[in-house]
Amino acid sequence: MPNTPRLPGAEAKSVTSPHIAVAWACGAASVVVYGLTPTAAMLSYETGLTPTMLVALRSFIGAVVILVYTWGSGRIRHTPIGPSLGLMLLCGPLFGLQVLCYFAAVQSAGAQVSVVVVHIYPMFVLLIVWLTTRRRHSPAVIVLCLVMIGGIGLVGWTGAAAVKLTGSVLAVASAVGYALYLVLGERWVREVGAVVSSGLVMVGATITAGLVAVAITPNISITATGWASVVLQGAVMIPIGVGCAFYAVRRLGSVSLSLLGLLEPIVGVLAARVLLDERLLSLQWTGMIVILLACGVLPWATSTKRQTVSCSPVELKSSSDILQRVTPRSSDRNGVAER
């Protein structure tokens, strides 16, 4: 599912060339980690883990790591209570449900299809913003949204033997859930700070996924290999994705990191091809290319001042970083200060 944390509207700091090189390397590391997430999930399923168990356990470990860091750095000590509860009790469960849909889509339709289809979430952000604010979008944006829908049709409705329609529907559901999470959490992320917000949302996601896991699979049995996979994803992949993205966006700015994020589904598709030997039909490849191209053009179609929307997958991304580029406003363009 689904999500790279970065500061809303963050601008690049003035840094020296060595720091810039490190920042680009960190940005690339974040992209690779999130691109590998669906493939890592598929490999985890081979150990006997289910999507619900995997999401609950990796979210728990990731939340512990992030919250320990925020406590040690002092970020969490003066966090406002109201927004924190909103993030944990509303955005967290919503985020957890959409990640469950994403990981279930990976199990059903494969990593390649899921990592591409879920990238239509900016389309749903635009739709939700239109429904709630009646802000009109340009004809170019509408055409791109229709193109994305056509791409989904080529991916999900072509070659039933290779791709189950259920998986594509679950990926779309994940995109809808992620868009809702972004819209609802935007204001709270500004007040709490993106790093602390990531940890709080992870707590809510852990509780939600844990309850679902217990309800579906009351007798949980995890092998040593399964635990190793969970720890790798929760204690290594999530912190690398979060930490490297933050370092990169503070040095390069969110626009540069957004452009790097466009490589994320490509990493996911190639990883699934090499590590999982996933093979799709030619029309399905066409649909995936259509979605990726539309996702790449959408930032420019929705911006009035060359602002860019990030089309990154489903781990934690700053909601306001995306929404300010989809619906630019005259105030608060600099977002919140890093906490």
Side-chain angles (χ1 to χ4, degrees):
M1 252 17 40
N3 333 228
T4 307
R6 43 190 77 135
L7 292 175
E11 300 296 335
K13 285 185 176 181
S14 178
V15 292
T16 60
S17 295
H19 286 145
I20 292 178
V22 173
W24 278 107
C26 286
S30 178
V31 167
V32 170
V33 164
Y34 285 122
L36 289 174
T37 294
T39 297
M42 283 292 287
L43 294 174
S44 297
Y45 300 151
E46 296 179 1
T47 69
L49 286 167
T50 65
T52 53
M53 293 163 56
L54 179 59
V55 172
L57 293 172
R58 74 193 296 272
S59 297
F60 172 75
I61 296 174
V64 169
V65 172
I66 293 174
L67 291 178
V68 167
Y69 168 75
T70 58
W71 179 265
S73 62
R75 297 168 185 249
I76 201 173
R77 295 173 187 173
H78 304 290
T79 301
I81 300 297
S84 299
L85 290 176
L87 286 166
M88 186 167 60
L89 301 179
L90 180 60
C91 292
L94 186 57
F95 183 80
L97 290 174
Q98 70 86 16
V99 175
L100 285 173
C101 287
Y102 181 50
F103 276 44
V106 170
Q107 186 182 47
S108 177
Q112 289 180 325
V113 171
S114 302
V115 76
V116 173
V117 172
V118 81
H119 274 78
I120 65 169
Y121 73 86
M123 178 180 72
F124 291 112
V125 172
L126 292 169
L127 177 61
I128 294 169
V129 169
W130 176 76
L131 290 174
T132 55
T133 67
R134 294 298 175 182
R135 185 189 300 271
R136 294 184 179 182
H137 300 300
S138 68
V141 170
I142 296 174
V143 169
L144 285 173
C145 291
L146 293 175
V147 169
M148 285 186 182
I149 294 173
I152 295 172
L154 290 175
V155 171
W157 276 267
T158 305
V163 176
K164 295 180 181 178
L165 179 59
T166 302
S168 296
V169 172
L170 286 168
V172 172
S174 176
V176 173
Y178 189 63
L180 283 170
Y181 154 74
L182 293 178
V183 174
L184 291 175
E186 177 186 16
R187 182 188 57 175
W188 292 329
V189 171
R190 289 178 176 275
E191 297 180 30
V192 174
V195 178
V196 177
S197 296
S198 299
L200 294 173
V201 167
M202 281 281 194
V203 172
T206 300
I207 296 172
T208 303
L211 292 174
V212 174
V214 170
I216 295 178
T217 55
N219 298 319
I220 298 177
S221 177
I222 304 176
T223 64
T225 305
W227 277 114
S229 176
V230 167
V231 172
L232 175 65
Q233 293 181 58
V236 179
M237 293 182 68
I238 290 179
I240 288 178
V242 171
C244 287
F246 261 96
Y247 185 88
V249 78
R250 293 296 288 173
R251 299 306 188 274
L252 303 175
S254 55
V255 171
S256 296
L257 191 57
S258 296
L259 295 176
L260 267 179
L262 295 175
L263 298 176
E264 205 165 314
I266 298 175
V267 172
V269 168
L270 293 177
R273 178 66 183 88
V274 173
L275 299 177
L276 304 176
D277 197 29
E278 289 189 1
R279 299 175 183 272
L280 300 178
L281 302 177
S282 57
L283 281 178
Q284 291 162 345
W285 278 108
T286 301
M288 294 170 71
I289 293 172
V290 166
I291 293 173
L292 291 177
L293 289 177
C295 182
V297 175
L298 189 60
W300 285 270
T302 57
S303 67
T304 57
K305 292 184 178 181
R306 299 182 65 85
Q307 291 182 329
T308 308
V309 59
S310 168
C311 293
S312 301
V314 191
E315 287 292 331
L316 284 173
K317 301 172 190 168
S318 169
S319 60
S320 39
D321 178 61
I322 294 173
L323 289 175
Q324 278 199 250
R325 287 161 176 72
V326 175
T327 57
R329 301 189 293 183
S330 59
S331 62
D332 277 338
R333 292 195 180 276
N334 292 327
V336 298
E338 184 175 350
R339 296 169 185 260

